[in-house]
Amino acid sequence: MERRIIITIVLLLFSVSLIFAQTTGRLAGRVTDTDGTPVAYANVILVGTDPLMGAQTREDGTYILINIPVGTYNIQAQQIGYRPTTVTGQRINVNETATLNIQMVRDAVDIEGLTFVAQREMVVADRTGSTRGITQETIENIAVDSIEGIIALQAGAVQVGGDLHIRGGRANEVVYQIDGMSVSDPVDGGTAMTIDRNAIADMVVMTGGFSAEFGNAQSGIVNIVTRDGTSEYSGSVELISDHIITDGSNSDELKVTLGGPVFGPFVSDLRNRFTFFFNAAGLWHDSRFRDYYISHPNSDLVNLVTEFPYVDPYADRNQFLGMFDLGNRNFNTYNANLKLTYRLNPRQTMSFAARGDKAELYPYAHSWRYALEHYAKVEEDMRQYMFTYDHLFNPQMNLNVKGSWFRKERFEGPRGIGRDDFFRIDPDYEFDEGTYQSDLDGIIFIDRTGDGVIDNPDYGFIDSSYWAFRVFGTERERAIRGFNPPGSYWSRFIDDETTTMTLRADFEYQMSIINNLKTGFEITSHEIVKDRLFNPQRINRLRFDRYLRDNCEVFYEIYVNEDPTDPDSAIEDTIFVYSHYDVHEALRETSGQTDGYKAKPWQGAYYLQNRLQFEGMIANLGLRFDFWHLGNDYLIRQDDGTYITVKWEDLTDEKVKKTRVMVSPRVGVSHPISERAVLHFAYNYQNQLPQMQYVFTTAKPEDAILAQETIDVGNPNLEPQITITYEVGLQRQLGEDYILDITAYYKNIYNYVSLQERVDPNDETITWYQYVSEDYGSARGVDITLQKILSNFTAGSLSYSFAWAQGNHSGLTRQDEFRNLREFPLEWDTRHAANLNFEFRIGRDEEWWVPFTDIIFPLDDISMNFIYSISSGYPYTPMNLEGTQMLDTNSRRMPFTENANLRLTKNFRFGRKQNVRLFANINNLFNRRNVNWVYPRTGRVDWDGQDLSESGSDYVYSEVLHNYTEFIKNPSALSSGRTYTLGISYNW
C-alpha cells in the first residue's frame, strides 16, 4: 500500500511538469527613482547578449531574470522619461540569485545616460546551504595543479592519499558533474572524468545543505561549467615544464584552446548564433619516483648470489632540443573537449559537447622496484557525448532537456605479458596418439616453478631461490626480504567497461516575485561489463579436468605395464590422452580465478522544489524521489568466455528487492537579519546507492562449497546508504571588502557496505563473506571562512575546520561475530585544518607604491598567489612491540602536515587582444616532507621494528641490516620535496 501511494505521488507530480540545469544563475531586484518610487514597466537588459536577454519590471518595480549563463555582465535599465542607467561588472554565479537594485533619474530631455559600477554582492541572501563558487579567473591564477587540490582548499574538505573527503565522508561520496551531468563511476566508485582548467568557466563546490535537485551524493557535489565560444575568435597555446630549472619529475604539459564562430565571416548571419569552443591538453611525466624505475640490485643490495643486469628504462628515449623527451613516460594523461552552441532564435538554444579523458600509467610500487619490467600497467579511457536543448518561454519560465552518453573503460595487466602468454604450445613438440604422455606435455609455461618468476635466461636462473645474498663468514644463503625478485610478474588482468546513458528534463517557473518552482526528472541506464582474471598461471585441476572431459577430443589407448624381470606381470588399462592443442585451450579457459558479469540496472529520480522569498526569510522546500531497478537477471561469465543468464531467485533464498524507491525531504531556510548578515539552516536526508560492484558478482554460496575456499558473495538486497545532515550557518559582511562565513554541522551515516561472515548450516567448516549494509559513521564540525575581495591590490581567503569523522570501519572490512561495534576515528579524520589563500595583483596600467618608500614598483599586469595549508596528522592503528597484536583502532596520530605553494604571473600585452603570459610555480615552498603513512609498530617511516638478530643472540649481520633497510626506506611514506615549474602561454 505504501509503495502504491509513493508511485501515485510521483506520477501526479510528473504529470504537472517536465533536475535543474545547474549551469546558470538568476538576477532579481527593484527599479526605483531617486524618491524611492517604483518604476513600472522599465526594461532591464543584459547589454551585449546575443540574443538580447532582459525582462520588464512589474508595477511595484520588481523584476527577475532566470537562466542566465554564468559570467560578468553590464545591466541597463530603460524607461521613457528617465535617463538610461547602466550598472557594469555584475557577476552571475551558478544556481544563485544576484540582487541588483537600480535607481533611475527622471529627465524629460534625452541626454546621455548614467553609468555605475556594480558593488559585488558579498552576502548571498538566498543561499541556504554550504556552497562556494570558484571563478575562471581564480582557477587560472591559483597556485594549485589539480581540480581536487583547489577543492581541498575549501573549508570542510581534505585530501588524503589522493582521495578527496568532504565533511568526514568517504571518497566515493563526492559526485562530479560537468555541465550538470554526472561523470563519476557508478560501479566501482573510482576516478571521475577530468577536464582541463582552461576549459572551465565556473566551478561550484557544495559541501552541505543540498537542495532537492541534487541526489545520489552524501558528502559533496562538484559542478563544473565549461566555456562557450563567442562571436570573436580567441585561443591560446600553453607549455609547462618542471625540468628547466631542476630535474623534477620530468613533467611536460602542452595545452591548446580555440573558440569562436563556426563559419566565421563566411556566413555573417550565423556568426553570433553558431559558435564553438575546443581545448586539448596532454601531460607526460615520470613522477617523483622517476629515479626508482632504474634497476640495479647488485649496486643497491650487497652480496647477491646472482649478477643481475642494469635496467634503465629511459636509455632509449629520443629528445627534442636535448631537453624534452618524446613519446610516453611513466604517467601519461590526455583530455579534450569540444562544445558547439547553436542559437535557433532568441529563446531557443541547442548545444553539443564531446569530451575525452585518457590515461596510460606505469605505476611504481616499492616492493616491485627490481621487477618493474612486468609490474602493472593501467589504462583508463572515459568519453562523454552530451546534447542540451534550452527553451526560454519568457523571462520567468524555462525548460532544459539534456541527454548524455558516458563510457568508462579500464584495463589493468602486467607489462609486456598478455592473457595468452602464460601457456604456449611448443612448436617443436610432436604428438603421438599411440604413446602415453603427461597431459601437460607439449606446453611451454611462462613460469615453470609456479613461484611467480619468469624463466629469463638473462638472469641465469628460473626460480626465486636465486633471489638471495650471502653473509660474510657463513655458508647459508639468505632470501631477500620484501622485494619481489627480478622477473616477477603482476598476475591480475582487469578489462572493465561501464556505459551510462542519461536523459533529464528540468523546468523552472518564477510564478511570482516570491515563488520559484523547480521540478524535473532523470532516467539513467547502465550497462556494466566486467571481465577479470586473477593468478592466471595457477592451474585448478578440478576445473581443468572438467573442461577437458566436456569440450575436448579424447584418444583411448591400451597401456601395458611390463616388468622386464617378470614377463607375466603385464597389466592392461584404459587411459585418456588429449592432444596438446586441447590441453592448451583447457589451460587458457580454466586456470586462475575468473570474475566477470554483464548487467543492465536502471536508476532514476524525480524532484519537486519550491523557493519562497518573503521579507525577512527565504525557504527552499524540496522532496526528492530516487529509484533503483536491478532487472530480473544478469549474465555471469563462464570459464570458456561465454555467459549464462542467472536469475536473482537462483542466487539467494531471500526475497529479492529488485526495485527500490527512496524518498528524501530537504529543507533550507535563509534569514537575512540585516543588509550585511544572513542566517541559514538546512536539513538534508540524502540517499546514495551502494556501489554496484557489491551487488553484481560472479560468486555465490555454492561456489564456496565446491571450491572449499573463502569467497565474497554479492547481495541484491543492499540498502541505500543514508546520510542525515543538520547544519546552521551565518554569513556576515565585515567592512566593504571582507565576508565571514561560519557553519556548524552534524551528520549521521547509515548502511555503509561491509563484509559479514556466513556459515554453511550443513557444514560449519565452509564459510563465505557476504556484502551487507551494516556499517555506520558520524561526522560533526565547524567550518569558518574569512574572504577578502580584490581591493587595494590584494584578495584572498582564510579557512579553518574543526571536525570529527568517526565510524566503525574506514572501508570495506571482513567481519565475523566479534566485529567492532564501537566508533573510532576514521583514517581521514582531520581534527584541525587551516588554509590560507593570498593574492597580490597589480592590474594593467596600475601603479603600486612600495610600502614605506617613494618608489613605484616598475611592473604592472603582474600577480602573486601564495597558498599555505596546515592540518593535524591522520590517525593510524598501532601494534605492540612484539608485532603480534594490533592495539586500539586509530588510537594514535601521525605528525601534522604542512604545505605552501607560490605562483608568480606576468602578462605582456600586444594590442587589444594578444598577450604572452609567463608564470612560475614553486610547490612545497618550504620543502616540508609530510608523513603519508607509518609502520604501526614504531610509528616511524624509516623502521618497522623488525627483529633481525640471529636466533640465540642479539647480533645483527651488517649485510642483513643493509638489505632489509633498503626495503624499509619506502619513498611513498613521505610527500615529495620542493619542485619548480615554469610555463608560458600565448593568448589571442
Side-chain angles (χ1 to χ4, degrees):
M1 187 65 176
E2 181 182 352
R3 178 174 295 180
R4 291 181 181 178
I5 294 174
I6 294 174
I7 294 175
T8 302
I9 294 174
V10 172
L11 292 175
L12 286 174
L13 292 173
F14 179 82
S15 66
V16 300
S17 66
L18 272 177
I19 304 219
F20 183 57
Q22 299 310 335
T23 60
T24 61
R26 297 176 292 272
L27 178 68
R30 195 179 191 195
V31 179
T32 62
D33 62 15
T34 54
D35 297 329
T37 303
V39 178
Y41 310 116
N43 294 317
V44 180
I45 62 173
L46 277 63
V47 180
T49 54
D50 190 2
L52 189 65
M53 299 184 68
Q56 194 174 71
T57 62
R58 297 178 174 86
E59 291 185 357
D60 61 356
T62 59
Y63 71 94
I64 188 165
L65 286 84
I66 66 173
N67 201 49
I68 305 174
V70 296
T72 302
Y73 296 88
N74 297 335
I75 314 298
Q76 187 176 84
Q78 303 171 346
Q79 178 60 292
I80 297 175
Y82 294 85
R83 298 183 188 180
T85 303
T86 303
V87 180
T88 62
Q90 178 61 52
R91 177 70 188 177
I92 302 297
N93 294 319
V94 175
N95 198 33
E96 290 184 358
T97 303
T99 301
L100 178 62
N101 296 320
I102 303 175
Q103 189 177 78
M104 303 186 72
V105 177
R106 288 181 178 272
D107 198 322
V109 181
D110 187 13
I111 63 174
E112 186 178 356
L114 302 174
T115 301
F116 302 91
V117 177
Q119 296 296 316
R120 179 169 179 179
E121 187 179 17
M122 302 183 67
V123 175
V124 183
D126 70 339
R127 185 182 295 171
T128 59
S130 298
T131 302
R132 293 168 181 84
I134 304 171
T135 65
Q136 176 185 354
E137 186 177 33
T138 299
I139 295 172
E140 286 179 349
N141 294 307
I142 200 166
V144 178
D145 296 329
S146 65
I147 297 298
E148 292 79 9
I150 297 175
I151 299 170
L153 294 175
Q154 313 307 311
V158 295
Q159 199 170 12
V160 182
D163 292 330
L164 186 67
H165 300 267
I166 292 181
R167 287 189 174 177
R170 296 184 178 183
N172 59 18
E173 296 176 14
V174 181
V175 170
Y176 294 86
Q177 297 179 341
I178 297 179
D179 289 337
M181 301 294 274
S182 175
V183 289
S184 294
D185 187 345
V187 179
D188 298 330
T191 55
M193 172 180 277
T194 60
I195 193 165
D196 183 60
R197 300 199 300 182
N198 290 347
I200 299 176
D202 206 280
M203 184 169 69
V204 175
V205 180
M206 287 170 275
T207 57
F210 310 147
S211 54
E213 60 256 47
F214 298 104
N216 206 37
Q218 291 179 268
S219 290
I221 296 174
V222 179
N223 186 26
I224 296 172
V225 181
T226 58
R227 294 170 58 183
D228 288 305
T230 66
S231 59
E232 300 291 335
Y233 285 111
S234 63
S236 67
V237 178
E238 184 174 323
L239 175 64
I240 307 171
S241 179
D242 78 336
H243 54 86
I244 296 178
I245 298 179
T246 61
D247 289 339
S249 62
N250 192 26
S251 173
D252 295 304
E253 189 170 6
L254 179 63
K255 303 180 181 183
V256 296
T257 66
L258 182 63
V262 173
F263 294 110
F266 304 107
V267 185
S268 59
D269 182 54
L270 294 178
R271 186 177 183 90
N272 297 328
R273 296 170 55 195
F274 194 13
T275 61
F276 77 97
F277 179 84
F278 169 79
N279 88 289
L283 172 62
W284 304 266
H285 70 116
D286 284 322
S287 85
R288 67 189 184 96
F289 305 113
R290 59 174 299 193
D291 294 336
Y292 290 89
Y293 285 80
I294 300 175
S295 172
H296 196 184
N298 293 88
S299 64
D300 298 333
L301 308 175
V302 295
N303 294 351
L304 299 188
V305 299
T306 304
E307 185 66 29
F308 297 95
Y310 174 81
V311 179
D312 183 358
Y314 314 128
D316 298 330
R317 287 187 180 177
N318 296 319
Q319 287 192 328
F320 175 68
L321 299 178
M323 183 182 299
F324 304 103
D325 288 348
L326 300 177
N328 284 347
R329 303 180 197 175
N330 295 327
F331 291 79
N332 313 278
T333 59
Y334 316 88
N335 64 75
N337 169 68
L338 172 65
K339 189 176 183 180
L340 301 172
T341 304
Y342 181 64
R343 298 168 179 84
L344 286 76
N345 54 54
R347 296 188 179 276
Q348 298 181 72
T349 302
M350 294 190 304
S351 68
F352 171 79
R355 303 182 179 98
D357 182 8
K358 184 177 179 64
E360 298 178 3
L361 315 175
Y362 297 88
Y364 174 80
H366 193 56
S367 61
W368 288 80
R369 180 179 180 184
Y370 303 112
L372 291 175
E373 183 181 8
H374 299 299
Y375 182 52
K377 174 184 178 181
V378 179
E379 296 180 1
E380 285 190 347
D381 190 348
M382 287 176 272
R383 285 161 285 164
Q384 184 194 42
Y385 303 100
M386 181 175 169
F387 173 81
T388 302
Y389 170 74
D390 193 89
H391 190 159
L392 185 67
F393 296 99
N394 57 55
Q396 286 78 43
M397 185 183 297
N398 185 75
L399 171 67
N400 183 278
V401 179
K402 292 185 179 183
S404 171
W405 181 93
F406 174 67
R407 173 172 291 176
K408 178 179 179 179
E409 300 174 358
R410 176 181 172 84
F411 168 83
E412 180 181 323
R415 306 171 193 174
I417 302 176
R419 283 196 178 195
D420 298 332
D421 294 339
F422 289 88
F423 315 101
R424 293 184 294 111
I425 295 177
D426 186 351
D428 299 326
Y429 179 75
E430 297 182 1
F431 176 70
D432 186 352
E433 299 181 8
T435 303
Y436 174 72
Q437 55 215 319
S438 166
D439 56 8
L440 300 181
D441 287 347
I443 305 298
I444 298 176
F445 294 84
I446 195 173
D447 170 15
R448 289 187 180 276
T449 61
D451 59 2
V453 179
I454 296 175
D455 182 358
N456 193 328
D458 293 337
Y459 301 155
F461 70 96
I462 60 174
D463 62 69
S464 59
S465 64
Y466 284 81
W467 184 231
F469 67 98
R470 297 186 180 92
V471 173
F472 180 76
T474 67
E475 296 182 357
R476 182 169 62 90
E477 296 174 352
R478 300 171 184 250
I480 301 292
R481 302 174 66 175
F483 291 115
N484 289 302
S488 299
Y489 53 83
W490 186 251
S491 59
R492 180 169 71 184
F493 289 89
I494 294 178
D495 195 356
D496 293 347
E497 180 181 298
T498 302
T499 304
T500 301
M501 292 185 291
T502 303
L503 173 66
R504 61 188 294 171
D506 315 301
F507 180 78
E508 181 179 12
Y509 178 38
Q510 189 72 36
M511 302 175 65
S512 67
I513 196 66
I514 67 170
N515 195 346
N516 178 275
L517 175 70
K518 293 181 185 179
T519 187
F521 74 89
E522 180 179 69
I523 300 293
T524 301
S525 169
H526 301 287
E527 183 174 354
I528 307 169
V529 179
K530 293 287 185 184
D531 185 2
R532 300 183 173 187
L533 178 64
F534 305 97
N535 300 315
Q537 78 283 4
R538 295 182 182 176
I539 303 174
N540 186 309
R541 294 298 309 197
L542 179 64
R543 293 167 54 202
F544 175 77
D545 294 339
R546 184 188 303 163
Y547 186 92
L548 285 174
R549 184 177 63 251
D550 296 341
N551 298 280
C552 299
E553 186 177 358
V554 180
F555 298 91
Y556 297 94
E557 177 185 334
I558 300 299
Y559 173 67
V560 178
N561 180 18
E562 184 174 353
D563 184 352
T565 61
D566 185 2
D568 298 328
S569 64
I571 301 175
E572 294 185 358
D573 195 6
T574 302
I575 63 172
F576 304 102
V577 178
Y578 298 91
S579 77
H580 53 308
Y581 294 100
D582 291 334
V583 172
H584 177 257
E585 189 66 20
L587 288 171
R588 289 181 62 250
E589 297 297 341
T590 65
S591 296
Q593 295 84 46
T594 59
D595 179 16
Y597 59 86
K598 295 180 179 180
K600 295 182 178 181
W602 289 75
Q603 69 182 85
Y606 173 83
Y607 84 91
L608 181 64
Q609 180 170 304
N610 200 7
R611 176 181 174 272
L612 301 172
Q613 181 171 353
F614 305 101
E615 188 169 349
M617 187 183 75
I618 299 171
N620 274 322
L621 309 176
L623 192 63
R624 181 181 179 88
F625 301 86
D626 290 276
F627 79 85
W628 178 21
H629 180 65
L630 299 179
N632 295 320
D633 51 46
Y634 69 107
L635 303 177
I636 294 182
R637 189 183 189 279
Q638 303 300 291
D639 294 337
D640 60 359
T642 62
Y643 289 84
I644 62 170
T645 301
V646 177
K647 294 185 177 295
W648 291 111
E649 290 75 10
D650 299 334
L651 298 178
T652 178
D653 296 332
E654 302 177 6
K655 183 179 179 180
V656 178
K657 302 175 184 178
K658 291 177 284 189
T659 302
R660 300 288 188 93
V661 178
M662 298 154 282
V663 184
S664 305
R666 311 281 175 85
V667 177
V669 177
S670 174
H671 174 47
I673 55 180
S674 71
E675 291 184 355
R676 295 193 169 198
V678 175
L679 285 170
H680 81 264
F681 166 81
Y683 165 81
N684 270 200
Y685 188 100
Q686 298 149 216
N687 291 294
Q688 184 172 0
L689 303 179
Q691 295 176 28
M692 296 182 187
Q693 60 176 323
Y694 305 141
V695 177
F696 303 98
T697 63
T698 59
K700 47 189 180 293
E702 289 79 3
D703 295 332
I705 298 173
L706 294 175
Q708 290 290 307
E709 62 182 19
T710 302
I711 61 172
D712 298 341
V713 176
N715 186 359
N717 288 329
L718 291 176
E719 298 290 337
Q721 297 176 162
I722 296 173
T723 298
I724 301 176
T725 305
Y726 305 86
E727 73 170 64
V728 60
L730 168 67
Q731 295 180 66
R732 179 73 168 88
Q733 184 173 346
L734 307 175
E736 296 300 322
D737 303 329
Y738 294 87
I739 182 170
L740 177 66
D741 193 324
I742 304 176
T743 302
Y745 62 90
Y746 183 84
K747 297 166 54 173
N748 280 322
I749 310 167
Y750 306 98
N751 297 339
Y752 272 151
V753 178
S754 60
L755 281 163
Q756 194 171 82
E757 188 177 30
R758 301 285 193 247
V759 180
D760 182 11
N762 300 318
D763 187 349
E764 294 184 355
T765 64
I766 299 175
T767 62
W768 61 89
Y769 284 86
Q770 186 171 42
Y771 295 104
V772 294
S773 301
E774 294 195 8
D775 276 5
Y776 53 87
S778 65
R780 62 192 186 277
V782 178
D783 295 336
I784 304 174
T785 300
L786 177 65
Q787 183 178 2
K788 181 188 183 299
I789 65 171
L790 181 62
S791 63
N792 298 322
F793 305 101
T794 61
S797 64
L798 176 64
S799 66
Y800 169 71
S801 295
F802 179 45
W804 292 261
Q806 296 182 306
N808 66 327
H809 286 103
S810 294
L812 195 65
T813 305
R814 285 186 169 185
Q815 305 171 354
D816 53 25
E817 62 272 21
F818 304 108
R819 66 191 181 95
N820 199 337
L821 296 177
R822 67 177 183 84
E823 290 190 18
F824 49 76
L826 299 175
E827 291 176 357
W828 53 88
D829 175 65
T830 307
R831 198 56 46 86
H832 305 276
N835 299 290
L836 170 66
N837 179 9
F838 175 76
E839 181 179 5
F840 175 78
R841 185 192 309 173
I842 304 175
R844 187 179 186 185
D845 298 328
E846 289 185 340
E847 294 181 344
W848 180 68
W849 296 78
V850 179
F852 312 110
T853 70
D854 295 330
I855 302 173
I856 297 177
F857 192 74
L859 299 176
D860 67 345
D861 211 352
I862 189 172
S863 67
M864 182 272 291
N865 181 250
F866 173 74
I867 288 176
Y868 178 76
S869 301
I870 186 170
S871 63
S872 55
Y874 308 122
Y876 72 96
T877 302
M879 180 183 289
N880 64 358
L881 295 178
E882 294 76 20
T884 59
Q885 182 182 358
M886 303 300 292
L887 304 180
D888 290 344
T889 307
N890 288 343
S891 57
R892 294 182 186 172
R893 288 187 177 267
M894 293 180 274
F896 73 91
T897 63
E898 177 187 23
N899 189 64
N901 294 344
L902 179 68
R903 179 184 175 99
L904 302 174
T905 305
K906 175 69 176 82
N907 289 307
F908 299 90
R909 299 185 183 271
F910 307 94
R912 184 174 64 90
K913 295 183 60 178
Q914 301 181 65
N915 75 82
V916 172
R917 173 181 292 183
L918 301 177
F919 54 92
N921 288 344
I922 305 178
N923 294 327
N924 196 359
L925 180 65
F926 304 136
N927 201 27
R928 165 85 179 189
R929 304 301 298 272
N930 293 311
V931 174
N932 295 327
W933 53 266
V934 297
Y935 291 104
R937 195 186 311 183
T938 62
R940 295 164 50 183
V941 299
D942 56 352
W943 186 246
D944 67 347
Q946 184 70 38
D947 183 9
L948 302 179
S949 63
E950 297 298 300
S951 59
S953 72
D954 294 331
Y955 184 75
V956 177
Y957 287 105
S958 60
E959 297 89 343
V960 174
L961 179 62
H962 174 86
N963 289 344
Y964 190 69
T965 302
E966 285 296 307
F967 169 68
I968 290 299
K969 293 188 301 185
N970 191 331
S972 66
L974 297 174
S975 64
S976 60
R978 184 190 298 117
T979 60
Y980 303 87
T981 301
L982 298 180
I984 181 173
S985 67
Y986 169 64
N987 310 275
W988 69 92

